[in-house]
Amino acid sequence: MRITSTSCICPVLVCLCFVQRCYGAAHHGSIKVTRNQTKHMEGETEVHHRPKRGWVWNQFFVLEEHMGPDPQYVGKLHSNSDKGDGSVKYILTGEGAGTIFIIDDTTGDIHSTKSLDREQKTHYVLHAQAIDRRTNKPLEPESEFIIKVQDINDNAPKFTDGPYIVTVPEMSEMGTSVLQVTATDADDPTYGNSARVVYSILQGQPYFSVDPKTGVIRTALHNMDREAREHYSVVIQAKDMAGQVGGLSGSTTVNITLTDVNDNPPRFPQKHYQLYVPESAQVGSAVGKIKANDADTGSNADMKYTIINGDGSGVFSISTDKDTREGILSLKKPLNYEKKKSYTLNIEGANTHLDFRFSHLGPFKDVTMLKIIVGDVDEPPLFTMPSYIMEVYENAKIGTAVGTVTAQDPDTANSLVRYFIDHNTEEDRYFTIDASTGTIKTAKIFDREETPWYNITVAASEI
């Protein structure tokens, strides 16, 4: 550097910074005051300027979380007017001066007396000055500089939103996105790898995977079946230092449930059923139930029952109970054991909400055969006529036969019949009946002018 003869040499204050970087790498910079000068370029005339003073400086650095027994060395202030005779006094002011940061006013050495946390405060703004100890006059203008708190890896990644509860449809394609998890690291993202997070899966393989950079969780198998397994507990780890050995880590749990799709057809547990229905069953009444099973849930398991053929399709009907998903069999016409003792129905159960993506797993219906046995009921004897008209002469003797009624047992046993008169009125007492033959006889002498006709009630029962 050339200095012209008109220039005076001005003292220069130099701040030297020494900081122990992470993992022992040394770093130093300087803070100086110099005069503005111009270089004498080849072929150019030398130009003279008035000298100006200013501090040219780099940041100081101090490691956070320093736990050593001695104060941590930060850096050094030095003026080129300092001859080492103690005539220069160094002064430090600003944030933390005198409490956190102290200076040796003779040597200019700066130390940190406290353990600092970068996550609470990242830097401190201070002012440096060199004065003549004898005159207290400044040797340099006061200048501002920064002490930056250097990050160390003292914060583990954290999942602030976990644990997570999510769903994904069963039978999803491999690689289907389930959820993106994010871990935050309070360390300095601009320095080193202290805040560079890598994701990995600790629990949940081989069913799920996680992207190491983005934290996106995806399905890792084809055709995961809810009916085989519905719930999964996946543990995701986030590790800083880009996943290197010695990095800090945090984890979270992702509870994944497979939601149902219609990938299971209904199935009757048996291919043949038998149902007993007494012939006395009332028309319109429910006489039986049948059910097909479906491994799906919700609307995917809804079905409708239909009688598709059989000799009993005109006698019986079937409806679907939406709550129980049962087929309810009802009677449309009266049964008569003596005329027809059994019926056969082919019943179909079919899903009502189809998913055509899984049509290759169908058909989504099933058929079973139902045989209905008509039960014989002990029916009372039936008279051959609903009513009879008989005549008898007045003044006929007591015991005169008036006529005969006939009743038969409709059951296959064809039991013998016993006849009798229900004595509900006084008129019923004017006649008798032969219990075995049904012959009616008079029990008094009648006078037509007194009463021209009588109504009597005759009953029959099996013996």
Side-chain angles (χ1 to χ4, degrees):
M1 177 184 295
R2 297 184 58 191
I3 303 177
T4 63
S5 60
T6 59
S7 299
C8 61
I9 297 179
C10 298
V12 177
L13 179 61
V14 180
C15 291
L16 301 178
C17 170
F18 301 92
V19 62
Q20 188 72 18
R21 291 277 187 148
C22 290
Y23 309 115
H27 168 81
H28 27 139
S30 62
I31 299 179
K32 299 181 180 180
V33 176
T34 62
R35 294 177 300 127
N36 278 357
Q37 299 170 1
T38 58
K39 292 186 177 180
H40 179 65
M41 306 298 292
E42 183 179 353
E44 294 184 3
T45 305
E46 188 176 89
V47 180
H48 299 273
H49 293 277
R50 174 188 291 182
K52 293 183 179 180
R53 297 188 179 187
W55 287 51
V56 180
W57 50 273
N58 293 329
Q59 293 187 40
F60 282 5
F61 295 89
V62 59
L63 282 176
E64 69 169 329
E65 308 292 351
H66 178 69
M67 303 300 292
D70 299 321
Q72 183 180 180
Y73 184 70
V74 178
K76 185 179 184 67
L77 298 181
H78 183 71
S79 173
N80 60 1
S81 63
D82 188 349
K83 307 303 182 183
D85 57 1
S87 61
V88 177
K89 182 179 181 180
Y90 298 98
I91 299 174
L92 190 66
T93 59
E95 294 180 322
T99 55
I100 299 174
F101 304 104
I102 59 173
I103 188 170
D104 186 315
D105 63 0
T106 301
T107 65
D109 291 325
I110 303 172
H111 288 83
S112 171
T113 63
K114 296 183 179 180
S115 177
L116 304 179
D117 187 353
R118 188 201 68 85
E119 285 69 48
Q120 292 184 359
K121 188 171 179 61
T122 60
H123 66 277
Y124 296 82
V125 179
L126 295 102
H127 298 84
Q129 191 173 27
I131 65 172
D132 189 307
R133 193 179 294 274
R134 291 170 301 212
T135 64
N136 284 331
K137 291 183 179 180
L139 299 174
E140 306 291 343
E142 183 179 82
S143 189
E144 181 180 275
F145 68 98
I146 294 174
I147 297 179
K148 186 174 182 181
V149 182
Q150 186 69 58
D151 183 51
I152 65 171
N153 189 22
D154 60 339
N155 290 279
K158 293 182 179 180
F159 293 91
T160 57
D161 297 329
Y164 303 85
I165 300 176
V166 293
T167 60
V168 64
E170 65 171 331
M171 309 300 288
S172 295
E173 294 183 0
M174 186 173 68
T176 299
S177 177
V178 179
L179 173 72
Q180 182 176 21
V181 295
T182 302
T184 57
D185 194 307
D187 291 319
D188 187 355
T190 65
Y191 179 73
N193 291 326
S194 295
R196 185 179 173 190
V197 173
V198 171
Y199 300 94
S200 61
I201 185 166
L202 300 182
Q203 176 182 306
Q205 295 175 317
Y207 309 101
F208 298 93
S209 64
V210 65
D211 188 293
K213 294 182 178 180
T214 64
V216 174
I217 301 171
R218 300 181 184 276
T219 57
L221 291 180
H222 287 289
N223 301 331
M224 295 173 65
D225 190 359
R226 183 197 69 86
E227 287 72 39
R229 182 176 176 181
E230 185 174 6
H231 302 288
Y232 297 83
S233 181
V234 178
V235 178
I236 302 296
Q237 181 190 73
K239 189 174 184 180
D240 61 19
M241 297 301 296
Q244 298 175 8
V245 176
L248 304 178
S249 64
S251 63
T252 189
T253 300
V254 182
N255 295 304
I256 303 174
T257 298
L258 300 184
T259 56
D260 188 58
V261 299
N262 189 9
D263 60 335
N264 290 278
R267 288 288 179 264
F268 286 102
Q270 301 173 210
K271 289 302 180 182
H272 297 88
Y273 291 87
Q274 186 168 294
L275 178 66
Y276 174 86
V277 180
E279 62 177 332
S280 59
Q282 299 296 311
V283 173
S285 64
V287 295
K289 299 178 181 180
I290 195 169
K291 185 176 183 179
N293 296 326
D294 194 314
D296 296 319
T297 61
S299 61
N300 294 320
D302 288 346
M303 67 185 73
K304 181 180 180 180
Y305 295 92
T306 307
I307 298 174
I308 54 176
N309 55 45
D311 60 2
S313 57
V315 180
F316 298 91
S317 65
I318 194 167
S319 60
T320 304
D321 188 314
K322 294 183 178 180
D323 295 327
T324 64
R325 297 190 177 97
E326 293 176 313
I328 309 300
L329 198 69
S330 299
L331 189 63
K332 291 171 62 177
K333 295 181 179 180
L335 299 176
N336 190 324
Y337 172 82
E338 285 70 33
K339 292 183 177 180
K340 189 170 179 61
K341 295 178 173 57
S342 67
Y343 296 89
T344 299
L345 300 175
N346 290 317
I347 298 177
E348 177 187 86
N351 280 151
T352 55
H353 302 283
L354 300 181
D355 191 331
F356 293 102
R357 294 176 300 170
F358 307 105
S359 58
H360 63 283
L361 301 175
F364 285 79
K365 59 185 177 181
D366 196 21
V367 177
T368 190
M369 180 180 291
L370 175 63
K371 184 176 182 180
I372 300 173
I373 305 299
V374 179
D376 186 21
V377 176
D378 190 11
E379 299 172 275
L382 297 177
F383 285 94
T384 56
M385 298 177 60
S387 62
Y388 294 81
I389 298 176
M390 299 177 181
E391 294 180 350
V392 62
Y393 289 103
E394 61 178 342
N395 297 322
K397 294 180 179 180
I398 295 174
T400 299
V402 177
T404 301
V405 296
T406 303
Q408 292 181 341
D409 181 8
D411 298 321
T412 55
N414 196 19
S415 302
L416 296 177
V417 175
R418 180 175 66 87
Y419 300 95
F420 58 93
I421 295 175
D422 284 340
H423 297 294
N424 296 322
T425 66
E426 184 67 24
E427 294 178 350
D428 293 330
R429 301 181 183 278
Y430 299 158
F431 300 89
T432 62
I433 190 169
D434 188 302
S436 58
T437 63
T439 300
I440 300 173
K441 297 179 179 180
T442 60
K444 64 171 287 187
I445 297 175
F446 297 100
D447 183 352
R448 185 180 181 280
E449 284 70 30
E450 180 180 338
T451 302
W453 54 271
Y454 296 89
N455 285 327
I456 63 174
T457 303
V458 177
S461 64
E462 296 177 9
I463 298 177

